[in-house]
Amino acid sequence: MEEPGEITTERIAQVAVGDGLPPHRSLWTDAARRFTHNRIAVVSLILVLGLVGLAVLAPVVQRHDYRVQDLAHTSEGPSGTYWFGTDQLGHDQWSRVVNGARISLSVGIVSQLITAVIGVVIGALAGLTRWMDNLLMRFTDIAYSFPDLLMMILLLAAFGSGLILFGSVPVTMILAISLVWWPTTARLVRGQILSLQQRDFTLAAKAMGASQWRIVWTHLLPNTFGPVIVTATFGIPRAIFAESALSFIGLGIPPPNPSWGTLANDGFSSISAAPHLVLTSALAIAVTMMSFTFIGDGLRDAFDPQAR
Amino acid sequence: MAALARKATLVLLGLTVLALGALLAACEEEETTTATPLSEVLAERQELRIRMPGEPTTLDPQIAAFANDVNIVKLLFRGLVRYDQNLGIVPAAAKETPSNENGGISEDGLTYTFKLRDDLVWSDGEPLAASDFEYSLKRLFDPEVGAHGYYYGFYTSIVGSEAYAAGEGSAEEVAVTAIDDTTLQIKLTRVQPTLLQLLALWPAFPVRQEVVEEHEDAWTEAGNLIGNGPFVLKEWVHDDHITLEANANYWGDDKPTLQRIVFRMIPDESVALIAYQNNELDMTAIPLPDTGRFEGNPESLKYAELATVALGFNNTREPFTDPLVRKAFRMAVDSQAYVDSVRQGSGLPAFSWIPPGMPGYNPDIGTDYAFDPEGAKGLLAQAGYPDGEGLPDITITIGNTQESRLTAQFLQEQLRTNLGVNIDIEVLESATYQDRYLTSEFQLTLVGWRADYADPENWLPQLFGTDAGLNQYKYSNPAVDDLFAQAAVELDNGKRLDLYDQAQEIIIDEDMGTAPLYYPIRNWLVKPWVAGIITTGLDSSPGDWFYTNVRILAH
Amino acid sequence: MIVYATRRLLGMIPVLFFIAVVTFALMHAVPGGPWDRDKRLPPQALANVEAKYGLDKPVFAPSWRVWEQEFWRELPDTQFVNYITDAIRGDLGVSYRQLNRPVADILLEGIRISATLGLMALVLSTVVGMAFGILSALRQNSWLDYACVAFATLGASVPNFVLGLLLMVLFTVHLHWLPSSGWANPTTFFFLSIPSNWKQLVMPLIALSAFPTAYIMRVVRASLLEVLHQDYVRTARAKGLAEHVVVMRHMLRNAFIPVLTVLGPVAAFLVTGSFIIEYLFAIPGIGRQLVYSISARDYGVIMGATLFYAVVIAAANLIVDLIYVIVDPRIRY
């Protein structure tokens, strides 16, 4: 929302992925091999796994319950007891950052999963059927011209952002992001399917009498996964960004649940009094953002060796 | 690629360290201003620059409703009477304050006669007469203008006003009459002991008919607006700034020393603070998190506003139908800790609903329910919920402001640790919240009430009367309604305040209809060269009722 | 090409209409209205104010009885129909947040300011992004390359409100070089304000450009690296062409096409204003207006700003598509 519109990832993926690959069994193993040779991507992946680990283990690695307020130590800088300092209510910032990882990462990952699923299904249908294609193209024309922000704000205003499943999956926030972003993936998949249908291997399969569904299932869909994964990888940090921007506007995750967006936003208002708050949360966002960007680059290169 | 990774990381680290260093260095640069009192020499440039959080909705006195609107309107216009610094009523455009003694108020208290000063002029030098006040007060009930808002409701004791507002009567039937150029008469349907206070407020300020009719909706723009106050509207760049200049034709005795006041609209408080530190502003509010940093700073200006923040119950929703539960909730909250630790001293723990500084304040009310976790648990058990067992799910619904989020989180944790009760926080987007609040769709919420005028009438009947417009708590007690009815027509001020006191005692001590939490204190920073600020509890920005007294010292 | 452009423009009309319908429905469907304020209006006042602004009429469809009687004679008297008919006549209504100010004035003022800032940011991020992208691709794996990549990654990784605030702390609080915020003279026409307010412009410009600059740089770098190894570049080199000729004639032209693809959305994003930057730096632009209007349920401004967004995004995409034709001779419409 606060970055160039949704078209971005689609275009990056298209630029890099090119027209898709002829399918061969070792596509995935090849990609994996190329990916593991890309050290910066591997380092980033390790960082991300570390963050996910922190998020999963938050109840263990947190040093204090993130809800507990130590009123004798409010807005204090980092110390031995409070590694990342405390906020205005005497919350332990470290435990809020690791617990915030749960919500922020789930916003990023779950929203991209949903976006990918909707996008692949509708995009594939559009690539295969004429009427669906028309419908999708008209719809995306409208969706692209509609301010993301307006849509998200209205959706969140109407449904609130309070429903949080399993203590870490803010449903309405995720749905608001997915509903606004899926047309990008759908368009990408449609483009892939259309171009793949003209490829030799598809034509060959058709000539050999393979059924429509078999072609879709074994030849077309697997070939769209590469670009979709790349798009999703770039989408994850963007969703985390979007969450932080929404909480800046005042539509973030309700307290006391911490998310990086609400933490950065809360820290923002005490920038002079307690700069460690905004720095620690911005650091968490920045590390995640960078890692996913490098992983995205790595995946893109891995799926398309010609790009190098 | 590996090399790239390593080196890029190094560069990144370097940049991060640089940014951190700059930030920390900036933060260490504490205020080192030593209080060297400036000599009483006036500066060449008499300009005051103040931060304003946002755009006024309108500068039309009969429509103005928000703090930003009122802040400017009260500088551009002057009413018949006005508040003095102790919140007493003194004459402004009127020669004297009407009373029974001077014949300004009739025996039965139903007719008010104002003798106006004969030197009244508009800011363009044209004379201002009683008929202008007549026009303006009638305009307040015009269904196309004033009867759009909340505030005309304050004045409906005037004969014919309600019918006109409802579109059934006409302006002629509203009993506000200019007898001659300097005599204005107002007739009431029922006695209204607070009428003079109400006439000191902005809805009763005069506007000029030709100006309003000539420019229609655009009459409040700079260049069109003509007022009668100490300042004139020089420039209004929407959403950016408002510039006022001294009114050369001002007729009052309090001629301003300031030649210019600039209100800069800076939405973010932290940014405004930076602007202040960079000498772009002379006055700004201190953001709550920074309060502690400026404690004892010679530039800090603290004053109490007539306001109370409370925990609002929906008295018709379980479990808050039971006064014992409401009392237990109040007793489980350590207000003192909240104002000390979280608000860093910018507030006082509240027990009574009416805050100190208001007529009718009673320090003894509510003190029985001061913080006492054991007592709270006892009350909750007495209500049939020992250790919170059996309580339904409880949610506190709040609008999305930094302050409400803080307070709600504090309450949540206090109730959890002191009472063993878990409550959820529901944060809503602002307009959604307003909608839910106004329709009483909540169990618990946070309410803040700020005085419109300094009288218990503004604090009790309008909020706690059964079916009162602002009674979103759904509080209802016939005994209280009865006291309100008596007080409304009681002309003896002592007796009137006593009746309200009895009502407040029932509302808080017996029923705990709402649970006062704290009285906010306003914290501002004012440059040492700004002299003569006189604050009152009714200010929008500090000293704004008395900016005529402010002067800029040479620096 | 003119036929193509005209067809695209005409195609916008149904899209705009549909957007208008959706926005209108959504904004009336969400809870809360323009007159829900701290203090509940007396019922009489609410009736008066709704009557004055026509909010007492049905939103889309009149009741069946009215419909039956009047439909064939004239358009139904509903809020949506009235809005559309007024809008076609050029009357976008009045604001409720800035009471009775014409929406058109509010939009024009906001657009002028956001567009000034946005266009400058667009030029800045394109120039800087391309320059650094080219440098880092040509000097791949040099220190320069790493510095550029590091800058791009960092610029794109920090939320822009944090970046803006850091800039302010550095340049205003610490160095006292630049004023904290404001626009100095919002009434001046477009770029004519720059001589007097360049100091106010520096920080928002940097904060706003950081992401698109980094983004453009990455795209340029990636596509140049790709072109670098293409046969025609190798051939050109082998022919013994001077290096700058190879770079200019063969590489940049081809590397520019992917950049062009992203410039459309980037331009639309920049020109329509950023709420966060405008809020932070107290700039009265259109991005702030939209968000304020949503939370104030200021219907006229919500509608106006949304339709404006739609037009800008469509226009940006159209312009990019037309530039394609000029840059890439293979594409024809």
Side-chain angles (χ1 to χ4, degrees):
Chain A
M1 51 188 327
E2 273 298 321
E3 323 100 65
E6 54 273 59
I7 302 161
T8 56
T9 42
E10 172 194 10
R11 297 278 158 95
I12 283 198
Q14 277 181 342
V15 166
V17 175
D19 297 330
L21 297 166
H24 46 94
R25 285 187 198 290
S26 58
L27 167 70
W28 296 92
T29 41
D30 269 4
R33 186 175 47 78
R34 274 191 295 268
F35 185 83
T36 47
H37 281 253
N38 182 341
R39 280 205 211 161
I40 195 162
V42 172
V43 169
S44 300
L45 186 64
I46 293 169
L47 266 178
V48 164
L49 291 177
L51 280 171
V52 172
L54 275 183
V56 173
L57 296 175
V60 183
V61 296
Q62 69 177 6
R63 312 205 348 124
H64 305 265
D65 185 332
Y66 69 89
R67 291 173 304 178
V68 167
Q69 301 169 357
D70 183 348
L71 295 176
H73 300 94
T74 54
S75 300
E76 279 183 4
S79 66
T81 332
Y82 299 112
W83 292 349
F84 281 6
T86 59
D87 70 5
Q88 232 181 319
L89 284 159
H91 289 133
D92 175 24
Q93 177 77 357
W94 163 253
S95 80
R96 290 179 82 74
V97 169
V98 292
N99 281 288
R102 296 185 142 203
I103 288 186
S104 290
L105 290 174
S106 78
V107 166
I109 294 168
V110 179
S111 72
Q112 291 312 304
L113 277 178
I114 296 179
T115 306
V117 170
I118 305 179
V120 166
V121 170
I122 296 192
L125 287 176
L128 295 167
T129 50
R130 174 58 59 96
W131 66 270
M132 191 68 192
D133 192 29
N134 280 330
L135 198 67
L136 176 74
M137 293 327 275
R138 290 292 79 72
F139 187 84
T140 43
D141 273 350
I142 290 162
Y144 278 176
S145 316
F146 210 78
D148 289 11
L149 193 61
L150 176 81
M151 198 70 188
M152 289 187 193
I153 293 177
L154 289 178
L155 284 172
L156 289 174
F159 301 108
S161 45
L163 180 58
I164 298 181
L165 289 185
F166 316 118
S168 53
V169 184
V171 180
T172 39
M173 171 78 68
I174 287 171
L175 286 181
I177 292 174
S178 314
L179 285 180
V180 174
W181 285 357
W182 69 263
T184 308
T185 313
R187 262 198 158 167
L188 174 69
V189 172
R190 167 192 173 268
Q192 288 283 320
I193 299 261
L194 284 181
S195 94
L196 289 167
Q197 277 176 308
Q198 305 308 316
R199 289 303 199 78
D200 297 341
F201 58 85
T202 322
L203 298 175
K206 233 177 229 166
M208 284 161 67
S211 75
Q212 167 90 354
W213 283 112
R214 193 180 151 73
I215 294 173
V216 170
W217 204 243
T218 58
H219 294 288
L220 300 183
L221 275 185
N223 273 300
T224 63
F225 288 163
V228 168
I229 290 171
V230 172
T231 311
T233 314
F234 285 115
I236 290 170
R238 280 180 57 235
I240 294 175
F241 249 43
E243 192 269 330
S244 85
L246 283 172
S247 57
F248 188 84
I249 295 167
L251 292 164
I253 309 295
N257 307 292
S259 75
W260 291 341
T262 50
L263 289 180
N265 180 30
D266 286 351
F268 175 86
S269 62
S270 40
I271 178 77
S272 326
H276 59 272
L277 296 176
V278 78
L279 289 177
T280 46
S281 38
L283 190 73
I285 296 178
V287 167
T288 314
M289 187 86 191
M290 271 190 269
S291 305
F292 275 107
T293 311
F294 285 131
I295 296 175
D297 282 347
L299 285 175
R300 194 179 58 198
D301 297 346
F303 281 115
D304 183 12
Q306 283 148 14
R308 274 282 128 212
Chain B
M1 212 51 206
L4 174 70
R6 214 167 30 243
K7 289 180 188 171
T9 316
L10 271 179
V11 176
L12 269 180
L13 270 177
L15 285 174
T16 317
V17 168
L18 270 180
L20 278 177
L23 188 74
L24 292 177
C27 297
E28 276 159 21
E29 196 193 32
E30 282 298 325
E31 295 305 287
T32 46
T33 31
T34 42
T36 40
L38 294 167
S39 58
E40 213 16 80
V41 180
L42 290 188
E44 194 93 338
R45 222 174 132 81
Q46 288 294 316
E47 182 183 74
L48 183 67
R49 300 159 305 170
I50 308 172
R51 176 243 176 180
M52 195 168 185
E55 171 88 347
T57 298
T58 178
L59 295 183
D60 187 324
Q62 275 82 46
I63 304 176
F66 294 92
N68 292 337
D69 315 357
V70 176
N71 199 346
I72 308 287
V73 165
K74 65 173 106 168
L75 298 166
L76 298 177
F77 301 90
R78 269 288 141 86
L80 293 163
V81 289
R82 58 182 299 217
Y83 276 108
D84 68 11
Q85 47 184 304
N86 304 315
L87 301 181
I89 294 296
V90 292
K95 260 193 194 131
E96 53 180 7
T97 316
S99 65
N100 291 114
E101 289 75 42
N102 66 20
I105 305 178
S106 64
E107 282 292 314
D108 57 4
L110 291 177
T111 307
Y112 283 65
T113 312
F114 290 86
K115 292 299 285 178
L116 306 191
R117 293 166 62 130
D118 36 28
D119 56 351
L120 297 177
V121 285
W122 294 101
S123 54
D124 62 352
E126 292 291 311
L128 187 165
S131 54
D132 291 310
F133 278 100
E134 181 188 330
Y135 167 73
S136 311
L137 278 170
K138 287 179 168 172
R139 190 168 175 266
L140 184 56
F141 307 105
D142 185 340
E144 286 279 296
V145 188
H148 272 180
Y150 170 75
Y151 287 99
Y152 87 91
F154 281 9
Y155 303 85
T156 42
S157 57
I158 296 175
V159 172
S161 60
E162 261 173 315
Y164 183 30
E168 289 153 10
S170 69
E172 287 73 45
E173 289 162 30
V174 178
V176 179
T177 326
I179 309 262
D180 57 45
D181 273 358
T182 58
T183 314
L184 184 78
Q185 196 183 60
I186 300 175
K187 284 196 170 141
L188 306 182
T189 51
R190 54 187 146 89
V191 293
Q192 170 118 34
T194 51
L195 185 75
L196 288 175
Q197 294 211 48
L198 294 173
L199 290 175
L201 301 182
W202 65 94
F205 289 167
V207 301
R208 190 151 114 200
Q209 188 167 5
E210 306 101 82
V211 175
V212 174
E213 281 168 5
E214 186 188 340
H215 301 289
E216 294 178 337
D217 285 342
W219 83 267
T220 50
E221 298 290 338
N224 301 344
L225 188 140
I226 303 258
N228 71 332
F231 294 93
V232 292
L233 181 65
K234 181 70 184 164
E235 199 183 16
W236 181 4
V237 178
H238 290 278
D239 268 317
D240 194 71
H241 69 272
I242 286 182
T243 308
L244 306 184
E245 278 188 355
N247 175 2
N249 293 314
Y250 182 53
W251 44 269
D253 306 321
D254 53 339
K255 303 246 180 329
T257 315
L258 286 175
Q259 280 150 12
R260 195 184 248 277
I261 307 179
V262 182
F263 290 89
R264 262 190 67 191
M265 300 171 204
I266 302 180
D268 193 79
E269 264 191 349
S270 305
V271 173
L273 178 61
I274 289 175
Y276 174 87
Q277 288 171 321
N278 197 36
N279 277 340
E280 295 166 50
L281 292 172
D282 297 316
M283 290 167 76
T284 192
I286 304 178
L288 193 53
D290 294 279
T291 316
R293 274 198 320 142
F294 292 99
E295 191 64 51
N297 188 302
E299 293 176 19
S300 105
L301 171 73
K302 278 189 166 197
Y303 67 102
E305 57 180 338
L306 300 178
T308 304
V309 174
L311 176 59
F313 306 109
N314 185 333
N315 285 255
T316 58
R317 287 264 172 109
E318 291 292 341
F320 302 107
T321 45
D322 186 344
L324 289 172
V325 177
R326 303 198 290 259
K327 287 171 183 168
F329 269 55
R330 174 64 191 90
M331 280 171 99
V333 178
D334 187 355
S335 296
Q336 187 72 49
Y338 186 66
V339 295
D340 289 348
S341 311
V342 182
R343 295 188 60 86
Q344 304 179 12
S346 67
L348 292 168
F351 303 105
S352 72
W353 169 247
I354 295 182
M358 279 282 303
Y361 168 64
N362 179 348
D364 297 330
I365 286 179
T367 45
D368 292 350
Y369 304 104
F371 178 55
D372 175 7
E374 289 315 309
K377 281 181 190 151
L379 285 177
L380 200 61
Q382 210 181 319
Y385 307 107
D387 296 320
E389 275 168 41
L391 277 175
D393 289 342
I394 298 173
T395 302
I396 182 165
T397 305
I398 56 168
N400 206 327
T401 65
Q402 196 75 16
E403 231 169 300
S404 323
R405 290 166 62 102
L406 277 178
T407 314
Q409 288 182 76
F410 177 80
L411 289 173
Q412 184 184 44
E413 188 61 11
Q414 289 277 305
L415 293 169
R416 189 172 75 94
T417 50
N418 299 333
L419 206 55
V421 173
N422 284 311
I423 64 167
D424 288 327
I425 301 176
E426 180 183 26
V427 188
L428 299 174
E429 178 262 354
S430 57
T432 313
Y433 171 71
Q434 296 297 7
D435 184 62
R436 293 269 304 272
Y437 174 69
L438 294 177
T439 51
S440 299
E441 286 291 316
F442 61 86
Q443 271 178 303
L444 275 180
T445 189
L446 289 172
V447 287
W449 185 250
R450 184 171 293 126
D452 291 306
Y453 56 99
D455 194 274
E457 183 183 70
N458 184 231
W459 283 76
L460 297 170
Q462 294 167 14
L463 293 106
F464 294 100
T466 305
D467 297 329
L470 302 181
N471 186 351
Q472 271 77 46
Y473 326 105
K474 301 264 183 182
Y475 174 82
S476 175
N477 186 331
V480 169
D481 290 338
D482 193 44
L483 287 167
F484 288 159
Q486 289 177 45
V489 293
E490 177 58 62
L491 283 171
D492 180 329
N493 209 38
K495 277 189 196 156
R496 206 169 61 86
L497 291 179
D498 191 51
L499 288 167
Y500 281 130
D501 194 55
Q502 290 173 36
Q504 196 194 179
E505 214 175 308
I506 299 176
I507 295 167
I508 302 297
D509 280 332
E510 284 184 22
D511 292 343
M512 193 58 76
T514 188
L517 294 174
Y518 64 91
Y519 309 121
I521 285 179
R522 305 190 78 180
N523 272 283
W524 278 62
L525 285 171
V526 180
K527 292 286 181 193
W529 51 78
V530 179
I533 289 188
I534 298 171
T535 59
T536 74
L538 294 175
D539 292 352
S540 318
S541 55
D544 58 3
W545 285 103
F546 296 98
Y547 276 157
T548 50
N549 194 53
V550 173
R551 56 212 180 270
I552 306 294
L553 306 180
H555 56 278
Chain C
M1 199 164 113
I2 290 166
V3 177
Y4 172 75
T6 320
R7 211 177 61 219
R8 285 273 298 262
L9 285 176
L10 288 178
M12 266 310 285
I13 294 171
V15 172
L16 280 179
F17 183 77
F18 195 78
I19 287 175
V21 175
V22 172
T23 314
F24 212 84
L26 270 175
M27 75 186 184
H28 279 95
V30 295
W35 318 108
D36 283 346
R37 290 166 180 179
D38 297 354
K39 294 175 179 166
R40 188 167 69 176
L41 292 188
Q44 185 61 55
L46 194 62
N48 287 343
V49 76
E50 290 197 330
K52 169 153 178 181
Y53 295 102
L55 295 171
D56 51 345
K57 293 174 183 155
V59 177
F60 280 106
S63 69
W64 174 244
R65 206 185 317 153
V66 179
W67 184 270
E68 209 176 27
Q69 288 168 354
E70 310 245 341
F71 178 63
W72 301 111
R73 260 169 282 155
E74 53 192 71
L75 283 168
D77 184 22
T78 70
Q79 293 185 45
F80 183 72
V81 172
N82 292 345
Y83 179 80
I84 294 293
T85 46
D86 285 351
I88 289 170
R89 283 200 302 266
D91 175 10
L92 295 178
V94 294
S95 164
Y96 312 139
R97 186 179 79 85
Q98 299 179 19
L99 200 67
N100 296 338
R101 246 191 112 199
V103 169
D105 286 8
I106 295 177
L107 291 180
L108 280 179
E109 222 158 85
I111 289 165
R112 194 172 58 207
I113 288 164
S114 293
T116 307
L117 186 63
L119 287 174
M120 281 196 294
L122 180 65
V123 172
L124 183 78
S125 48
T126 312
V127 170
V128 175
M130 287 196 59
F132 282 151
I134 292 166
L135 277 180
S136 78
L138 292 183
R139 302 272 174 276
Q140 195 185 1
N141 293 336
S142 71
W143 271 104
L144 194 67
D145 185 24
Y146 306 141
C148 289
V149 170
F151 162 78
T153 319
L154 197 68
S157 302
V158 183
N160 56 4
F161 60 94
V162 176
L163 180 64
L165 205 57
L166 287 177
L167 287 172
M168 211 185 285
V169 168
L170 180 67
F171 286 116
T172 307
V173 181
H174 193 50
L175 297 171
H176 296 288
W177 285 354
L178 298 170
S180 64
S181 53
W183 189 252
N185 47 4
T187 47
T188 319
F189 188 74
F190 285 98
F191 299 97
L192 296 180
S193 65
I194 296 173
S196 57
N197 71 355
W198 66 270
K199 276 190 168 178
Q200 275 88 352
L201 278 173
V202 175
M203 288 193 288
L205 203 53
I206 297 176
L208 188 59
S209 311
F211 192 94
T213 306
Y215 182 57
I216 291 173
M217 201 213 94
R218 285 166 47 86
V219 173
V220 170
R221 182 174 179 275
S223 65
L224 256 185
L225 285 179
E226 195 178 334
V227 171
L228 222 47
H229 304 292
Q230 298 279 340
D231 294 341
Y232 60 86
V233 175
R234 259 181 248 151
T235 317
R237 282 228 175 86
K239 280 197 301 190
L241 286 181
E243 182 66 18
H244 71 270
V245 179
V246 178
V247 172
M248 288 310 211
R249 189 174 301 163
H250 294 277
M251 287 162 59
L252 284 191
R253 199 183 172 106
N254 287 295
F256 189 60
I257 293 172
V259 179
L260 204 55
T261 320
V262 301
L263 270 188
V266 166
F269 156 75
L270 287 174
V271 171
T272 49
S274 150
F275 168 75
I276 289 179
I277 298 296
E278 290 172 4
Y279 169 88
L280 190 62
F281 291 101
I283 296 169
I286 189 80
R288 224 174 59 174
Q289 290 293 357
L290 177 65
V291 173
Y292 282 177
S293 68
I294 298 171
S295 49
R297 304 289 188 266
D298 194 349
Y299 296 142
V301 180
I302 300 180
M303 288 300 292
T306 306
L307 293 175
F308 162 71
Y309 269 65
V311 170
V312 170
I313 293 168
N317 285 330
L318 179 59
I319 291 171
V320 166
D321 286 347
L322 294 180
I323 296 179
Y324 267 137
V325 184
I326 300 163
V327 176
D328 188 343
R330 285 172 302 181
I331 299 174
R332 268 184 222 295
Y333 294 122

